[in-house]
Amino acid sequence: MIKVGIVGGTGYTGVELLRLLANHPEVSLEVITSRSESGMPVSDLFPNLRGHVNIAFSEPDPDILAQCDVVFFATPHTVAMALVPELIKRNTRVIDLSADFRLKDLAVWEQWYNTQHTCPELFEHAVYGLPELNRDKIKDAQLVAVPGCYPTATELGFLPLLEAGLIDPLHLIADAKTGVSGAGRKAAIPMLMAETSGSFKAYGVSGHRHLPEIREVLSQHCQQEVDLTFIPHLAPMVRGIHATLYGRLTTHDVNLQKVFEERYANEPFVDVMPIGSMPETRSVQGSNICRIAVHQPQNSDTVVVLSVIDNLVKGASGQAIHNMNIMFGLDEKTGINVIAMMP
Amino acid sequence: MIKVGIVGGTGYTGVELLRLLANHPEVSLEVITSRSESGMPVSDLFPNLRGHVNIAFSEPDPDILAQCDVVFFATPHTVAMALVPELIKRNTRVIDLSADFRLKDLAVWEQWYNTQHTCPELFEHAVYGLPELNRDKIKDAQLVAVPGCYPTATELGFLPLLEAGLIDPLHLIADAKTGVSGAGRKAAIPMLMAETSGSFKAYGVSGHRHLPEIREVLSQHCQQEVDLTFIPHLAPMVRGIHATLYGRLTTHDVNLQKVFEERYANEPFVDVMPIGSMPETRSVQGSNICRIAVHQPQNSDTVVVLSVIDNLVKGASGQAIHNMNIMFGLDEKTGINVIAMMP
Amino acid sequence: MIKVGIVGGTGYTGVELLRLLANHPEVSLEVITSRSESGMPVSDLFPNLRGHVNIAFSEPDPDILAQCDVVFFATPHTVAMALVPELIKRNTRVIDLSADFRLKDLAVWEQWYNTQHTCPELFEHAVYGLPELNRDKIKDAQLVAVPGCYPTATELGFLPLLEAGLIDPLHLIADAKTGVSGAGRKAAIPMLMAETSGSFKAYGVSGHRHLPEIREVLSQHCQQEVDLTFIPHLAPMVRGIHATLYGRLTTHDVNLQKVFEERYANEPFVDVMPIGSMPETRSVQGSNICRIAVHQPQNSDTVVVLSVIDNLVKGASGQAIHNMNIMFGLDEKTGINVIAMMP
Amino acid sequence: MIKVGIVGGTGYTGVELLRLLANHPEVSLEVITSRSESGMPVSDLFPNLRGHVNIAFSEPDPDILAQCDVVFFATPHTVAMALVPELIKRNTRVIDLSADFRLKDLAVWEQWYNTQHTCPELFEHAVYGLPELNRDKIKDAQLVAVPGCYPTATELGFLPLLEAGLIDPLHLIADAKTGVSGAGRKAAIPMLMAETSGSFKAYGVSGHRHLPEIREVLSQHCQQEVDLTFIPHLAPMVRGIHATLYGRLTTHDVNLQKVFEERYANEPFVDVMPIGSMPETRSVQGSNICRIAVHQPQNSDTVVVLSVIDNLVKGASGQAIHNMNIMFGLDEKTGINVIAMMP
């Protein structure tokens, strides 16, 4: 059994880690921390876990965390970078769901997160935990940075086109829509149901923190400068990301469907849908799948990719466990082969 | 492995059976029928099942169905009663999610369903599949009638009070609220999202078909006449039933919390919540749990029970599989120990 | 033109007052106060008002408010009672949408609101602003206390039955459901969309502050003790209250439909629907109407009344303006004869 | 008073016409037709109209319709073109909310609507009823074709940029999102609440009928070929369109905000929001306003326009009445100066 700890378990990625880990056959959940809720049984906060998770939140204690084989950080940014060095030093592996280790360019990170990074040495060595890109590096990683939710959906949609050199890499457009759980479990007037239900809006148009992440990951991987216009929107639903991706084709002589099918032929959590499909976010609700469809509307030179994930699963906690499975040599699907709930 | 067939798999209880059975370790799904969609791969209709269910819908064929150990009927009423006798004769056990065999009083059934029953002989022998009431009879049953969704939530809420003789049995009130999936996957203007979203209403006030079911089950089990006012409402959500139950206490000298805790102490799928709890439907979303809280507001002589289930799981497909587990001697939780999804 | 001021305009009843008053032909909006948003144009906070309301929030100033003919308080409780005496002294009439002056029994008020009332002398003289009950007193009132949202729907539903002496007054049940806007525009985790969407729950079961209001108003008006079990629920929608009301009939020999139709024959904002109707909350969305239907299911001795309002209009701001119209001798419908929006 | 008739009043644009016309001070509603609901009082179908609209649906009768000054068609396509010639001949003006007269290129219309047009002579003479484009022609029009909902939001967003020659006209992208009321009041499984709530998807990716409309209107007006990729999406809400529009700037030396503000300076129903704004659909809910914001994210050469309307008002019935006001020389705002409802 893999001894697992969770730091910061009171948010939505925390409860989602618990939902999935509680039924993971190779995991023993040792500790879950929360400064604010220390002492409270986890299932008092999240009644869906009654009968499944019987431990209480505790104060974060490095000595206890260091006894785990792996610790997940489901914290706001800047929390992980304060604790991680101590854990790594004591040979506890870390899977960070926050943004602290997602970039490679320190200056860019410090600019967008508007703070100084406190462990730049680990910053460089962290592995970006997108299995479809970095499976081999993940296996031996001590520190994995789980991709953001938007970047996961966007990168998986653009990768086949960029890798094959089929689109102009400097003028990508990602028109992305998220459910409200993406904003986290924090008291804020704009996220009240009375403010968001029945309405749709863009936000972060001038610059969202997932923009530099997408830009860097795609640029590095494709070894050329990639730039995009990234417009996130808030949709009146709880879960799900729908990324509608636009690129200008540099060639017409290509079978786009085949490019995608071949790229993801062996990926357990990417589903390239049949020609003409238009995936709905509910088809991945609660599951770790990314469903993708590629279109060339009206036979124009604009390619359109539709990419959907559950932001809390493939966009966060499920992908984190996928990384854990790879790191510990398990079958990749273990514990996360959950079927989406429809309706 | 238990060989399983499903008749009528294109509705919401059908897809929910598939979601749960696909991951059930003791089940082999042999056949799923649909007249309207015969030939279509199941996962074309329900993309959440892509990669999990690989068979196609077929025409209902008694010879093929009879090769199964058990057949689930997820059909509108009057379909099962036409096919069931043949299957029972050939020793295939049947779990009927429809209303065809839920009552014991044939005249009442024929009045409320406004048609003649075509196999009255089986009608009498069917076992009402509420495990918390009929576990022993279910074990050996050839034909199980899975309770309706409202009756499940309502009966589980009233049973401890009635069994203990604590309330006036003739003036129960059940004010129940359901999500829209309860109306099934049928084209109908009143169930359009534009008609139901953001709105709340009562329906079936003059008489809903679940009323005689609740009345009969509670009366028979408690061996006294039970009558209730049952007002169902449509809430603007997809899943979930919230039954708010009212009874007039005949005694004040009782620990209501203890009555409920003791009644359900050994029930794997009933969760009596702590004093003061107010269960939310999302705490059971996708799971087979019924969560119950009992209150005596303002210390009056009116007891209020709050009972929540997922109408498609504990109120239909999950309870059906629970019955199957009992019928085939499995651990009752096998395959249905799913944790509810929150948020 | 009636010179109008609003104290506390940043909440949902505030914006709703503005929506209705901006098109009211007899009103001149002079001032709207907010400590927190002082200086901000109202339409920056509420973009729906762009082009319709051109003033900014200002600090509350009794001298400026006292120049108005009438001041609305759309504030949390305890704010109005601090300012009202000064305004009344200077002959500015007050319409208070908060709870500060809704009760007549000071001890009960202080117990339920858990604070000392600071102007008990006005407390007694305030008029309870339910036009269907107190039209004559409202005409000359200096201080009107606008009823709570639940009390409005509940009292209008029970009044005809109690006035006619048709039900047992000591065992009423009000099973009420509200949209989330009832909780106000306040940052709070339980009211996030991710917490409330797609879910249904009861709250305040042990005692909601609207309970003593309903109890007192019905008891005083009917000159007999009235008691009820009041269970509020949160429905996943923004607006609307649906009260399902239960009473035990003391006689069978009565035409309930006629009782209701006659009681409200001359009321411009109560719509007694035809026999068999089940009003939906969306049918009153944005309007000042209360729609009511009365049922006697299965011909039992339990009468069921369905009563729906928009909690922000008939349950707050629309009713407040209705009071103003009466106080200033206008046609009662002026400015609030808005048609509900469907879908 | 303008004598008004409505053909096809049982859909969502029909009820919305009624909501607005019932309070229009210059209108007398003479007749509303429906083959399916003939004889039923309008307010039985739409209870929000109880007390406001007192006529019943009747069979369409050209003789009666021809007595009106103007007839609105709120019908599926192909209905209007059969009746309109007779009305025009008899000097009744027509405002058609359907698609029958929206295009100028007959061949394109017949291809996209897959049928033969039955009155090509009127086809050419119909005026495209976008007041911001065609105000002068509308004044004297006998037949106005009200623009589609997507085209309204999209054209208003692109017009200032195209008119000023600021973007590459051949590679526009319109990523548009609609609420479910856009699909109309028709029984269809995909539009059930259980199918659409909590989920987001694209549809019509290969070609939506609003695409040729946008293409033609922009091309003709700007006197150059305009082409776009148009991807509509279904958002889980009832009302509202949010168009996110992308264009490649051909110059950097321009004040985009000023371009928009000047273009719409005198338009009563277009609100150019301040720099940095991100309009929400709820800010126009129930109102005839189009709110627009223009952005140049990260100072790139991609301009992003956010354009929101209520699909049933500015995208249909409100715009239809706006046309009527212009045609009959009224103040343009008469009867449609409704304030959006928030929350």
Side-chain angles (χ1 to χ4, degrees):
Chain A
M1 299 293 272
I2 304 167
K3 288 190 277 185
V4 166
I6 298 176
V7 177
T10 61
Y12 295 141
T13 54
V15 63
E16 198 66 354
L17 276 173
L18 291 167
R19 178 176 73 97
L20 295 167
L21 290 173
N23 278 346
H24 193 295
E26 304 291 337
V27 158
S28 160
L29 181 64
E30 301 290 312
V31 57
I32 176 163
T33 78
S34 162
R35 287 191 197 282
S36 59
E37 307 297 349
S38 178
M40 176 191 273
V42 167
S43 62
D44 280 13
L45 193 64
F46 300 121
N48 60 325
L49 301 173
R50 285 173 60 86
H52 297 279
V53 175
N54 296 316
I55 63 177
F57 292 109
S58 56
E59 290 282 338
D61 178 335
D63 290 336
I64 292 174
L65 290 168
Q67 292 168 24
C68 295
D69 297 308
V70 61
V71 169
F72 293 91
F73 281 80
T75 47
H77 63 90
T78 74
V79 174
M81 67 186 186
L83 262 170
V84 166
E86 172 75 8
L87 296 176
I88 295 292
K89 203 172 60 184
R90 292 161 77 167
N91 285 320
T92 291
R93 297 166 92 177
V94 170
I95 298 173
D96 179 18
L97 285 80
S98 85
D100 283 7
F101 298 97
R102 283 182 192 157
L103 299 188
K104 289 284 160 249
D105 187 323
L106 191 64
V108 170
W109 190 92
E110 294 190 337
Q111 174 202 333
W112 283 84
Y113 289 90
N114 202 25
T115 190
Q116 204 175 349
H117 204 285
T118 59
C119 58
E121 67 287 2
L122 282 175
F123 192 81
E124 290 169 45
H125 295 297
V127 172
Y128 188 74
L130 191 67
E132 294 79 4
L133 208 61
N134 283 336
R135 183 170 274 107
D136 285 341
K137 290 185 194 159
I138 291 164
K139 279 178 188 153
D140 302 316
Q142 294 304 303
L143 169 57
V144 164
V146 181
C149 49
Y150 283 129
T152 296
T154 304
E155 290 159 16
L156 291 175
F158 276 132
L159 273 174
L161 297 169
L162 288 169
E163 287 174 352
L166 299 175
I167 51 173
D168 170 4
L170 292 177
H171 290 93
L172 308 181
I173 290 173
D175 188 291
K177 301 89 178 172
T178 189
V180 295
S181 60
R185 195 171 158 278
K186 289 183 303 258
I189 287 179
M191 303 311 295
L192 294 178
M193 179 153 173
E195 298 289 313
T196 50
S197 177
S199 192
F200 192 94
K201 67 171 177 182
Y203 70 101
V205 170
S206 62
H208 185 285
R209 282 166 173 168
H210 286 173
L211 171 60
E213 179 180 341
I214 300 168
R215 203 149 48 188
E216 187 190 85
V217 168
L218 293 179
S219 295
Q220 288 205 341
H221 177 70
C222 302
Q223 291 175 298
Q224 58 181 329
E225 194 191 341
V226 172
D227 203 4
L228 79 161
T229 299
F230 169 56
I231 307 293
H233 301 75
L234 191 65
M237 59 191 188
V238 174
R239 286 174 179 240
I241 282 181
H242 186 293
T244 312
L245 310 173
Y246 301 88
R248 191 81 66 83
L249 288 168
T250 50
T251 172
H252 252 66
D253 192 19
V254 61
N255 183 331
L256 292 168
Q257 181 71 16
K258 200 175 157 205
V259 168
F260 275 75
E261 287 181 357
E262 289 181 357
R263 174 59 178 85
Y264 294 124
N266 298 313
E267 287 299 340
F269 292 115
V270 180
D271 174 23
V272 177
M273 298 189 76
I275 289 183
S277 296
M278 287 165 287
E280 350 178 40
T281 58
R282 66 181 187 137
S283 78
V284 297
Q285 180 177 239
S287 87
N288 197 47
I289 294 283
C290 174
R291 296 197 205 277
I292 293 183
V294 58
H295 293 262
Q296 194 179 349
Q298 305 282 308
N299 205 27
S300 79
D301 60 358
T302 298
V303 57
V304 180
V305 182
L306 311 173
S307 169
V308 303
I309 61 169
D310 184 322
N311 56 307
L312 297 179
V313 190
K314 180 63 177 166
S317 304
Q319 186 146 270
I321 297 170
H322 188 187
N323 275 281
M324 181 194 76
N325 288 346
I326 296 172
M327 291 162 77
F328 288 83
L330 305 178
D331 181 299
E332 293 193 16
K333 291 184 167 189
T334 313
I336 47 176
N337 196 24
V338 177
I339 303 178
M341 199 172 74
M342 266 179 72
Chain B
M1 300 291 272
I2 304 167
K3 286 190 278 183
V4 165
I6 299 175
V7 177
T10 62
Y12 294 141
T13 54
V15 62
E16 198 66 354
L17 277 174
L18 291 167
R19 178 175 75 95
L20 296 167
L21 291 173
N23 279 346
H24 192 295
E26 305 291 336
V27 158
S28 161
L29 181 64
E30 301 290 311
V31 57
I32 176 162
T33 77
S34 162
R35 286 191 199 281
S36 60
E37 307 296 349
S38 177
M40 178 192 271
V42 167
S43 63
D44 281 12
L45 193 65
F46 300 121
N48 61 324
L49 301 175
R50 284 173 59 86
H52 297 278
V53 175
N54 296 316
I55 63 177
F57 292 109
S58 57
E59 290 283 338
D61 178 335
D63 290 335
I64 292 174
L65 290 168
Q67 292 168 24
C68 295
D69 297 308
V70 61
V71 170
F72 293 91
F73 281 80
T75 46
H77 64 89
T78 74
V79 175
M81 67 186 184
L83 262 168
V84 165
E86 172 76 6
L87 296 177
I88 296 291
K89 203 172 61 186
R90 293 162 76 167
N91 285 319
T92 292
R93 298 166 92 176
V94 170
I95 299 173
D96 179 18
L97 285 80
S98 85
D100 284 6
F101 298 96
R102 284 182 190 154
L103 300 188
K104 289 284 161 250
D105 186 323
L106 191 65
V108 171
W109 190 93
E110 294 189 337
Q111 173 201 336
W112 282 84
Y113 290 90
N114 201 25
T115 190
Q116 203 175 349
H117 204 286
T118 60
C119 57
E121 66 286 4
L122 283 174
F123 193 81
E124 289 170 46
H125 296 297
V127 173
Y128 188 73
L130 192 68
E132 294 79 6
L133 208 60
N134 282 336
R135 182 171 275 108
D136 285 342
K137 289 186 193 159
I138 292 165
K139 278 178 189 154
D140 303 316
Q142 294 304 302
L143 169 57
V144 164
V146 180
C149 50
Y150 283 128
T152 296
T154 303
E155 290 159 17
L156 291 175
F158 275 131
L159 273 175
L161 297 168
L162 288 170
E163 288 175 352
L166 301 174
I167 51 173
D168 170 4
L170 292 177
H171 290 95
L172 308 182
I173 290 174
D175 188 290
K177 302 88 178 171
T178 188
V180 295
S181 60
R185 194 173 159 276
K186 289 183 303 259
I189 287 179
M191 302 312 293
L192 295 178
M193 177 153 176
E195 298 289 313
T196 50
S197 177
S199 192
F200 191 93
K201 67 170 177 182
Y203 70 101
V205 170
S206 63
H208 185 285
R209 282 166 172 167
H210 286 173
L211 171 59
E213 180 180 340
I214 300 168
R215 202 149 50 186
E216 186 189 86
V217 168
L218 293 179
S219 295
Q220 289 206 340
H221 178 70
C222 302
Q223 292 175 296
Q224 60 181 329
E225 194 191 342
V226 173
D227 203 4
L228 79 161
T229 299
F230 169 55
I231 308 291
H233 300 76
L234 191 64
M237 60 191 188
V238 174
R239 285 176 181 239
I241 282 180
H242 186 294
T244 312
L245 309 173
Y246 301 88
R248 191 83 65 84
L249 288 167
T250 50
T251 171
H252 253 66
D253 192 19
V254 61
N255 182 332
L256 292 169
Q257 181 71 17
K258 201 173 156 205
V259 168
F260 275 75
E261 287 181 357
E262 289 181 357
R263 174 59 177 87
Y264 294 124
N266 297 314
E267 285 300 340
F269 292 115
V270 179
D271 174 23
V272 177
M273 298 190 75
I275 288 183
S277 296
M278 287 164 286
E280 350 178 40
T281 58
R282 66 180 188 137
S283 77
V284 297
Q285 180 176 239
S287 87
N288 198 48
I289 295 284
C290 175
R291 296 197 203 279
I292 293 183
V294 58
H295 292 262
Q296 195 180 349
Q298 305 282 310
N299 205 27
S300 79
D301 61 356
T302 298
V303 58
V304 180
V305 182
L306 311 174
S307 169
V308 302
I309 61 169
D310 184 322
N311 55 308
L312 297 180
V313 190
K314 179 65 175 165
S317 304
Q319 185 145 272
I321 296 170
H322 188 187
N323 275 280
M324 181 195 76
N325 289 345
I326 296 171
M327 291 162 78
F328 288 84
L330 305 179
D331 180 301
E332 292 193 19
K333 290 185 167 190
T334 313
I336 47 175
N337 196 23
V338 177
I339 304 178
M341 198 171 76
M342 267 178 70
Chain C
M1 300 292 272
I2 305 166
K3 286 190 278 183
V4 166
I6 298 176
V7 177
T10 61
Y12 294 141
T13 55
V15 63
E16 198 66 353
L17 277 173
L18 292 167
R19 178 175 75 96
L20 296 167
L21 291 173
N23 279 346
H24 192 295
E26 304 292 336
V27 158
S28 161
L29 181 64
E30 301 289 312
V31 57
I32 176 163
T33 77
S34 162
R35 287 190 199 281
S36 60
E37 306 297 349
S38 177
M40 177 192 272
V42 167
S43 63
D44 280 13
L45 193 65
F46 300 121
N48 61 324
L49 301 174
R50 284 173 59 85
H52 296 278
V53 175
N54 296 316
I55 64 177
F57 293 110
S58 57
E59 290 282 339
D61 178 335
D63 291 335
I64 292 174
L65 290 168
Q67 292 167 25
C68 295
D69 297 308
V70 61
V71 169
F72 293 91
F73 281 80
T75 46
H77 64 89
T78 74
V79 175
M81 67 185 185
L83 262 169
V84 165
E86 172 76 6
L87 295 176
I88 296 292
K89 202 172 60 185
R90 294 162 76 166
N91 285 319
T92 291
R93 298 167 92 176
V94 170
I95 299 173
D96 179 18
L97 285 81
S98 84
D100 283 7
F101 298 96
R102 284 183 191 154
L103 299 188
K104 289 285 162 249
D105 186 324
L106 191 64
V108 171
W109 190 93
E110 294 189 337
Q111 173 202 336
W112 281 84
Y113 289 89
N114 201 25
T115 189
Q116 203 175 351
H117 204 285
T118 60
C119 58
E121 66 287 3
L122 283 175
F123 192 81
E124 290 169 45
H125 296 296
V127 173
Y128 188 73
L130 191 68
E132 294 79 5
L133 207 62
N134 282 336
R135 183 170 275 109
D136 285 341
K137 290 186 194 159
I138 291 165
K139 278 178 188 154
D140 302 315
Q142 294 305 302
L143 170 56
V144 165
V146 181
C149 50
Y150 284 128
T152 296
T154 303
E155 289 159 17
L156 291 176
F158 276 130
L159 273 175
L161 297 169
L162 288 169
E163 288 174 352
L166 300 174
I167 51 173
D168 169 4
L170 293 177
H171 290 95
L172 309 182
I173 290 174
D175 189 290
K177 302 88 178 172
T178 189
V180 294
S181 61
R185 195 172 157 276
K186 289 183 303 258
I189 286 178
M191 301 311 294
L192 294 178
M193 178 152 175
E195 297 290 313
T196 49
S197 177
S199 192
F200 192 93
K201 66 170 177 182
Y203 70 101
V205 170
S206 63
H208 185 285
R209 283 166 173 168
H210 286 173
L211 171 60
E213 179 180 341
I214 300 167
R215 200 148 52 186
E216 187 189 85
V217 169
L218 293 179
S219 294
Q220 289 207 340
H221 178 70
C222 301
Q223 292 176 294
Q224 60 181 328
E225 194 192 343
V226 173
D227 202 4
L228 78 161
T229 300
F230 170 54
I231 307 293
H233 301 75
L234 190 65
M237 60 191 188
V238 174
R239 286 176 180 240
I241 282 181
H242 187 292
T244 312
L245 309 173
Y246 300 88
R248 191 82 65 84
L249 288 167
T250 51
T251 170
H252 252 65
D253 191 20
V254 61
N255 182 333
L256 292 169
Q257 180 71 17
K258 202 175 156 204
V259 168
F260 275 75
E261 288 181 356
E262 289 181 356
R263 174 58 178 87
Y264 294 124
N266 297 314
E267 286 301 339
F269 293 115
V270 179
D271 174 23
V272 177
M273 298 188 75
I275 289 183
S277 296
M278 288 165 285
E280 351 177 40
T281 59
R282 66 181 188 138
S283 78
V284 297
Q285 180 176 239
S287 87
N288 197 48
I289 295 283
C290 175
R291 295 197 205 279
I292 293 183
V294 58
H295 292 262
Q296 194 178 349
Q298 304 283 308
N299 206 27
S300 80
D301 61 358
T302 298
V303 57
V304 181
V305 182
L306 311 174
S307 169
V308 302
I309 61 170
D310 184 321
N311 55 308
L312 297 180
V313 190
K314 180 64 176 166
S317 303
Q319 185 146 271
I321 296 170
H322 188 188
N323 275 281
M324 182 194 76
N325 289 345
I326 296 172
M327 290 161 78
F328 288 84
L330 305 179
D331 180 301
E332 293 193 18
K333 290 185 167 188
T334 313
I336 47 175
N337 196 22
V338 177
I339 304 178
M341 199 172 75
M342 267 179 69
Chain D
M1 299 292 273
I2 305 167
K3 287 190 277 185
V4 166
I6 298 175
V7 177
T10 61
Y12 294 141
T13 54
V15 63
E16 198 67 354
L17 277 173
L18 292 167
R19 178 176 74 96
L20 296 167
L21 291 173
N23 278 346
H24 192 295
E26 304 292 336
V27 158
S28 161
L29 181 64
E30 301 290 312
V31 57
I32 176 163
T33 77
S34 162
R35 286 190 198 282
S36 60
E37 307 296 349
S38 178
M40 177 192 274
V42 168
S43 62
D44 281 12
L45 193 64
F46 300 120
N48 60 324
L49 302 173
R50 285 172 59 86
H52 297 278
V53 175
N54 296 315
I55 63 176
F57 293 109
S58 56
E59 289 283 339
D61 177 335
D63 291 335
I64 292 174
L65 290 168
Q67 293 168 23
C68 295
D69 297 308
V70 61
V71 170
F72 293 90
F73 281 81
T75 46
H77 64 90
T78 74
V79 175
M81 68 186 184
L83 261 169
V84 166
E86 172 77 7
L87 296 177
I88 295 293
K89 202 171 62 186
R90 293 162 75 166
N91 285 320
T92 291
R93 298 167 92 177
V94 170
I95 299 173
D96 179 18
L97 286 80
S98 85
D100 283 7
F101 298 97
R102 284 182 191 155
L103 299 188
K104 290 284 160 251
D105 186 324
L106 191 65
V108 170
W109 191 93
E110 294 190 338
Q111 174 202 335
W112 282 84
Y113 289 90
N114 202 26
T115 189
Q116 204 176 349
H117 205 286
T118 59
C119 58
E121 67 287 2
L122 283 175
F123 192 82
E124 289 170 46
H125 295 297
V127 173
Y128 188 74
L130 191 68
E132 294 80 4
L133 207 61
N134 283 336
R135 183 170 274 107
D136 285 342
K137 290 185 194 158
I138 292 166
K139 279 178 189 153
D140 303 316
Q142 294 304 303
L143 170 56
V144 165
V146 181
C149 49
Y150 284 129
T152 295
T154 303
E155 290 159 16
L156 290 175
F158 277 131
L159 272 175
L161 298 170
L162 289 169
E163 287 174 353
L166 299 175
I167 52 172
D168 170 3
L170 293 177
H171 291 94
L172 309 181
I173 290 173
D175 188 291
K177 302 88 179 173
T178 189
V180 294
S181 61
R185 194 171 160 278
K186 288 184 302 259
I189 286 178
M191 302 311 295
L192 294 178
M193 178 154 173
E195 297 289 312
T196 50
S197 177
S199 191
F200 192 94
K201 67 171 177 181
Y203 69 101
V205 170
S206 62
H208 185 284
R209 282 166 173 168
H210 286 173
L211 172 60
E213 179 180 341
I214 300 168
R215 202 149 51 187
E216 186 190 85
V217 169
L218 293 179
S219 295
Q220 288 206 341
H221 178 70
C222 301
Q223 291 176 298
Q224 59 181 328
E225 194 192 342
V226 172
D227 202 3
L228 78 160
T229 299
F230 170 56
I231 308 292
H233 301 75
L234 191 64
M237 59 192 189
V238 174
R239 285 175 180 240
I241 282 181
H242 187 292
T244 311
L245 309 173
Y246 301 88
R248 191 82 65 83
L249 288 167
T250 51
T251 172
H252 253 66
D253 192 21
V254 62
N255 183 331
L256 292 169
Q257 180 72 16
K258 200 174 156 205
V259 167
F260 275 75
E261 288 181 356
E262 289 182 358
R263 174 60 178 85
Y264 293 124
N266 297 314
E267 286 301 339
F269 293 115
V270 180
D271 174 23
V272 177
M273 299 190 75
I275 289 182
S277 296
M278 287 164 288
E280 348 177 42
T281 59
R282 66 181 188 137
S283 77
V284 297
Q285 181 177 239
S287 87
N288 198 47
I289 295 284
C290 174
R291 296 196 205 277
I292 293 184
V294 58
H295 293 261
Q296 194 178 349
Q298 305 282 308
N299 205 27
S300 80
D301 61 357
T302 298
V303 57
V304 180
V305 182
L306 312 174
S307 169
V308 302
I309 61 170
D310 184 321
N311 56 307
L312 297 180
V313 190
K314 180 63 176 166
S317 303
Q319 185 146 270
I321 297 170
H322 188 187
N323 275 281
M324 182 195 75
N325 289 345
I326 296 171
M327 290 162 77
F328 288 84
L330 306 178
D331 181 301
E332 293 193 17
K333 290 184 166 189
T334 313
I336 48 175
N337 196 23
V338 177
I339 303 177
M341 199 172 75
M342 267 179 70

